[in-house]
Amino acid sequence: MTARKRRVRRHALLLGALALGVPGWTAAQFAASAPLVEVWKNPTCGCCKDWIAHMQASGFRVEVHETGNAEARTRLGIAERYGSCHTARVDGYAIEGHVPAGDVRRLLKERPRAVGLAVPGMPIGSPGMDGPEYRGRNDPFDVLLLQANGAASVYQRHR
């Protein structure tokens, strides 16, 4: 990891600690307690890298696997119709696609009986799909709560 990446990560961890209201914590203390998000993605996907940066800036630790997205989706019980460009797991839940960090935090707080959350496709304006190349465009999208039987319901609307 380069010195710049270490500085960015340390800054993201401190911002995450502030966002979660943990006064006096050092970056190392916060990093040790932050939820781990394990991500499977294509090594050349830029929007996946941007989503990972969003999660890190929001206080999550991230471990990245540069291959195995489709296999992880199947293993975690996510139906293909809910697929996107990356798949993740956090604290027993599956996360598919460009789910905002705030929705993941809510999921971890509420702990519903579910497989996890998904943002099918790649909606512009969602985290990771919000770079300057999209010129501020924000398409509405829904975060879905996925059930083990393949059903889904709207967990959060983003407009």
Side-chain angles (χ1 to χ4, degrees), residues 78-92:
I78 302 169
E80 189 65 35
R81 66 183 171 275
Y82 303 123
S84 185
C85 57
H86 58 269
T87 303
R89 178 178 55 203
V90 59
D91 202 15

Side-chain angles (χ1 to χ4, degrees), residues 6-69:
R6 282 192 298 276
R7 279 193 312 276
V8 168
R9 180 169 166 74
R10 187 171 46 248
H11 180 72
L13 291 171
L14 287 171
L15 286 175
L18 291 173
L20 293 174
V22 185
W25 275 30
T26 66
Q29 288 169 313
F30 183 75
S33 67
L36 175 65
V37 178
E38 192 173 9
V39 181
W40 291 267
K41 67 176 210 53
N42 181 301
T44 61
C45 185
C47 66
C48 294
K49 291 175 187 172
D50 291 345
W51 182 79
I52 290 166
H54 163 76
M55 295 301 286
Q56 290 172 322
S58 297
F60 289 91
R61 293 179 298 132
V62 180
E63 180 181 313
V64 179
H65 305 278
E66 297 290 349
T67 62
N69 178 34

Side-chain angles (χ1 to χ4, degrees), residues 57-153:
S58 297
F60 289 91
R61 293 179 298 132
V62 180
E63 180 181 313
V64 179
H65 305 278
E66 297 290 349
T67 62
N69 178 34
E71 294 85 358
R73 186 181 308 123
T74 300
R75 188 174 59 253
L76 295 172
I78 302 169
E80 189 65 35
R81 66 183 171 275
Y82 303 123
S84 185
C85 57
H86 58 269
T87 303
R89 178 178 55 203
V90 59
D91 202 15
Y93 287 104
I95 306 296
E96 181 68 21
H98 295 269
V99 176
D103 295 335
V104 175
R105 277 196 297 276
R106 177 181 158 207
L107 176 78
L108 296 176
K109 181 180 179 183
E110 294 176 355
R111 309 245 8 123
R113 287 196 110 171
V115 170
L117 301 176
V119 173
M122 300 166 65
I124 295 175
S126 62
M129 294 294 294
D130 55 353
E133 61 272 26
Y134 301 109
R135 298 183 194 86
R137 181 175 147 194
N138 280 311
D139 294 347
F141 67 95
D142 292 333
V143 175
L144 304 177
L145 182 67
L146 306 179
Q147 300 300 323
N149 66 2
S153 58

